[in-house]
Amino acid sequence: MLHALLQLGPGPHKAGDITVRTTMDEDEVRRRLLQLFNAKVCYRPRFGYWELRPTTATPTNTPGLVHPSTTPLLDAGLLLEGLHSRTGQTVLLHTYAPVTGERLCIAAAGTQDVRLRRELAHIPRAVDRLRRAPLDSDAPGLVMLANLAGHDLPLREDLRQIRASQLALTKAPLPGWILVSTPLRRLPGAPVMPGAEPRVVAAVSILAPEHLHGDPLVAYGRLMRNAVHAAIESSVAVTHHQLAPVQAA
């Protein structure tokens, strides 16, 4: 769905023009567009027309926060920007380096927050730790770590709870701030192999001031999981196996 909108380019587009660029029927296209609308990834400037919201997820205007990466972000920027628009908080995308066992920030949205930039300027080491840190340091790494371990392996109690809820909450490297994270099994827009069990490839995190009203897991957890699901389902690009002879049962 996102690919169809991107192919059509900037500006509003008729639902019919979007449909012909997909393999879905009109009802399914309408359902997927409403998912994107609810996640604030696109909007309806007028009846029957749909338009992508502009994204400014990368590059970030906070120097040193994003680690240099060759990972194609595909439609992940739209997901980050949509979450930032819904929450008003900074949103980070971390992946992991298997060789070093670190989590790396490869994209961000909402880093223009005045308070955040002021506090990061006073604590430069916090920028370094947000960008790069061991997997077991905080929520982004822990939510990936909990899902990378095989299901037949025993887990620490904290990792077991994170795997069950698919959410993690910890203090951030920046004093007075927290990280709420959920895993991402595929970057939005990335191809998927039918029948293959997707592995966790990244974590989406909200970086927010610590003293929020209410429980941040309640405030952001369901929103994050729903937004991740909608972004992935709405931008699915299937890679088919090569056809092989079918044997009779």
Side-chain angles (χ1 to χ4, degrees), residues 15-72:
D17 293 337
I18 300 170
T19 301
V20 298
R21 285 171 170 77
T22 73
T23 58
M24 296 173 278
D25 60 32
E26 292 182 0
D27 289 339
E28 181 64 14
V29 167
R30 189 178 299 109
R31 186 179 73 82
R32 299 290 180 90
L33 286 170
L34 284 172
Q35 287 180 331
L36 292 178
F37 176 80
N38 290 333
K40 292 196 173 182
V41 173
C42 73
Y43 61 98
R44 291 180 286 188
R46 56 186 183 273
F47 182 78
Y49 286 78
W50 302 83
E51 182 175 0
L52 278 177
R53 291 182 181 274
T55 176
T56 57
T58 53
T60 174
N61 52 9
T62 303
L65 183 60
V66 173
H67 191 276
S69 173
T70 58
T71 301

Side-chain angles (χ1 to χ4, degrees), residues 107-159:
T111 58
Q112 69 275 14
D113 181 85
V114 175
R115 176 182 172 184
L116 174 65
R117 296 182 68 182
R118 181 177 63 247
E119 296 190 19
L120 286 175
H122 285 98
I123 311 177
R125 69 179 182 277
V127 178
D128 296 335
R129 295 289 287 184
L130 282 168
R131 181 183 70 250
R132 180 175 182 173
L135 275 173
D136 60 357
S137 298
D138 48 30
L142 289 171
V143 83
M144 289 188 283
L145 193 59
N147 287 278
L148 287 170
H151 286 275
D152 55 341
L153 297 177
L155 285 177
R156 296 184 336 223
E157 179 60 21
D158 61 333
L159 294 179

Side-chain angles (χ1 to χ4, degrees), residues 5-249:
L5 285 165
L6 289 168
Q7 288 171 3
L8 287 166
H13 304 288
K14 292 181 180 179
D17 293 337
I18 300 170
T19 301
V20 298
R21 285 171 170 77
T22 73
T23 58
M24 296 173 278
D25 60 32
E26 292 182 0
D27 289 339
E28 181 64 14
V29 167
R30 189 178 299 109
R31 186 179 73 82
R32 299 290 180 90
L33 286 170
L34 284 172
Q35 287 180 331
L36 292 178
F37 176 80
N38 290 333
K40 292 196 173 182
V41 173
C42 73
Y43 61 98
R44 291 180 286 188
R46 56 186 183 273
F47 182 78
Y49 286 78
W50 302 83
E51 182 175 0
L52 278 177
R53 291 182 181 274
T55 176
T56 57
T58 53
T60 174
N61 52 9
T62 303
L65 183 60
V66 173
H67 191 276
S69 173
T70 58
T71 301
L73 295 178
L74 303 169
D75 300 330
L78 295 169
L79 169 62
L80 301 189
E81 195 64 38
L83 280 169
H84 167 61
S85 176
R86 293 285 296 275
T87 64
Q89 306 293 350
T90 300
V91 186
L92 308 176
L93 177 68
H94 287 89
T95 187
Y96 66 94
V99 174
T100 62
E102 295 175 310
R103 57 116 179 103
L104 307 171
C105 180
I106 60 171
T111 58
Q112 69 275 14
D113 181 85
V114 175
R115 176 182 172 184
L116 174 65
R117 296 182 68 182
R118 181 177 63 247
E119 296 190 19
L120 286 175
H122 285 98
I123 311 177
R125 69 179 182 277
V127 178
D128 296 335
R129 295 289 287 184
L130 282 168
R131 181 183 70 250
R132 180 175 182 173
L135 275 173
D136 60 357
S137 298
D138 48 30
L142 289 171
V143 83
M144 289 188 283
L145 193 59
N147 287 278
L148 287 170
H151 286 275
D152 55 341
L153 297 177
L155 285 177
R156 296 184 336 223
E157 179 60 21
D158 61 333
L159 294 179
R160 188 188 65 78
Q161 292 180 5
I162 289 171
R163 178 186 282 182
S165 66
Q166 294 296 285
L167 291 169
L169 166 65
T170 65
K171 292 183 181 297
L174 182 63
W177 294 69
I178 58 170
L179 285 161
V180 183
S181 305
T182 193
L184 196 59
R185 296 190 178 275
R186 180 169 56 84
L187 290 179
V192 59
M193 189 68 71
E197 182 179 356
R199 292 176 58 86
V200 166
V201 298
V204 177
S205 304
I206 287 177
L207 175 64
E210 188 170 9
H211 301 295
L212 295 172
H213 295 293
D215 185 343
L217 280 179
V218 174
Y220 298 134
R222 181 178 295 180
L223 170 64
M224 292 173 66
R225 286 183 302 197
N226 289 347
V228 165
H229 177 75
I232 291 176
E233 288 297 311
S234 298
S235 63
V236 64
V238 177
T239 300
H240 294 281
H241 290 291
Q242 186 174 357
L243 292 178
V246 178
Q247 295 181 341

